[in-house]
Amino acid sequence: MSRPKPQRHDLVVGGRRVAYVQAGAGERVCVLVHGLGGCWRHWAATIPALARTHRVLAIDLPGFGDSEKPQVSTIGNAVAVIDALRQRCEVERIDVVGHSMGTLVACEVAAGLPHTVDRIVLAGGPITSVLALFDAPITTLRRDPGLVSFLIEAATAGLPLPSSIQALIVRIPWARKLALAPYVPRPEDISEEMFGHFLAGVGGPGTLSTLRQGFGYDFTAALRLTRPTLLIGGELDRIAPAADLRGFAADNPAVQQVEILPGAGHLPMLEQPNEFNRLVAEFLSAETEAR
């Protein structure tokens, strides 16, 4: 029996249209937040699994996917969008799952709306080395040359690709391998379908303005989490190395669990969807202590 497809909706926040999809039902609401150059389709393999227990909302952040670019791009825009979604759902609390750049957004939501977040999942992040790259690029790259992967991501994520070109790249094995190399250690393990989901977010008009925010932006307060948190990383992730995740967990008592997936890179939800979905579903299903 096939599962119903996620339903597309629009929401106006700050005078700009925001796109999101919804699946599942119930009192528990989970918001999925993509990374730089992403869109809701990065969660295409995750949505059906979580929809068994949650009402799942996967957003296109302002300036990405099908969402309009705000007049001024700020982290506050993303926080406002997620709060607007929560209010539309008429729920007091949500669970938030973020990937890469989306892990920073998830942390900002938890910090800015502390009474609305139950549980947090950070996948491929927090991208603490990337934040260090903004502050001290030369020193950081000398210490961790693998972060050149992020520079490749940043340089290419904002380049628009016509759908015909995207379809061509999906069909050509060497082109798929070239496009995925900065993110995953074994591009050949990503199916054409999963690669199509990954490529769908490329070219978002908010990419460059979002990158500019990184210079001088202080995430210190947001990274002091107070809600139960799960970190999921890839053993071979060069953008959010496993050592960064373990270091973050050691300094942050709110992190209850760190899972490093063997052989995975920066896209665990697409590289190893079954294991990723199992970890997230189990964590979100656990009881959250009263505030």
Side-chain angles (χ1 to χ4, degrees), residues 122-133:
L122 306 179
I127 50 174
T128 52
S129 284
V130 171
L131 296 179
L133 185 63

Side-chain angles (χ1 to χ4, degrees), residues 9-239:
H9 301 276
D10 288 325
L11 179 70
V12 176
V13 182
R16 300 291 181 174
R17 180 179 51 78
V18 174
Y20 69 97
V21 299
Q22 176 177 287
E27 295 182 359
R28 297 288 296 273
V29 174
C30 178
V31 179
L32 305 179
V33 188
H34 64 76
L36 185 72
C39 65
W40 76 262
R41 285 181 59 188
H42 282 200
W43 303 107
T46 306
I47 293 171
L50 297 186
R52 299 188 185 104
T53 55
H54 278 67
R55 183 178 179 185
V56 180
L57 305 171
I59 66 172
D60 283 346
L61 290 172
F64 294 89
D66 291 329
S67 292
E68 290 183 321
K69 182 181 177 182
Q71 292 181 340
V72 179
S73 294
T74 67
I75 289 291
N77 291 335
V79 174
V81 163
I82 293 172
D83 195 35
L85 278 176
R86 181 189 63 83
Q87 294 181 51
R88 170 171 281 195
C89 292
E90 298 181 338
V91 295
E92 292 185 5
R93 298 180 181 179
I94 58 176
D95 297 320
V96 184
V97 180
H99 171 250
S100 195
M101 179 194 73
T103 64
L104 302 180
V105 174
C107 291
E108 286 285 352
V109 170
L113 307 169
H115 300 295
T116 68
V117 176
D118 265 338
R119 302 178 80 81
I120 304 168
V121 178
L122 306 179
I127 50 174
T128 52
S129 284
V130 171
L131 296 179
L133 185 63
F134 282 117
D135 289 336
I138 302 301
T139 302
T140 304
L141 281 175
R142 284 175 177 169
R143 184 185 71 241
D144 188 358
L147 280 173
V148 72
S149 298
F150 172 77
L151 298 179
I152 296 173
E153 176 190 14
T156 58
L159 299 177
L161 283 178
S163 57
S164 58
I165 300 298
Q166 289 190 25
L168 185 65
I169 295 174
V170 168
R171 291 198 303 268
I172 301 175
W174 66 261
R176 291 204 307 273
K177 184 173 182 179
L178 183 65
L180 284 167
Y183 310 96
V184 301
R186 291 180 54 84
E188 61 272 19
D189 289 346
I190 300 288
S191 68
E192 288 189 15
E193 180 183 19
M194 289 298 105
F195 179 62
H197 293 316
F198 164 74
L199 208 58
V202 172
T207 302
L208 294 181
S209 56
T210 299
L211 279 171
R212 284 195 292 269
Q213 290 181 65
F215 295 98
Y217 193 93
D218 186 2
F219 281 97
T220 304
L223 293 178
R224 297 192 186 107
L225 299 176
T226 60
R227 304 308 300 157
T229 302
L230 163 67
L231 305 184
I232 303 179
E235 176 191 21
L236 304 178
D237 189 342
R238 293 179 290 180
I239 295 173

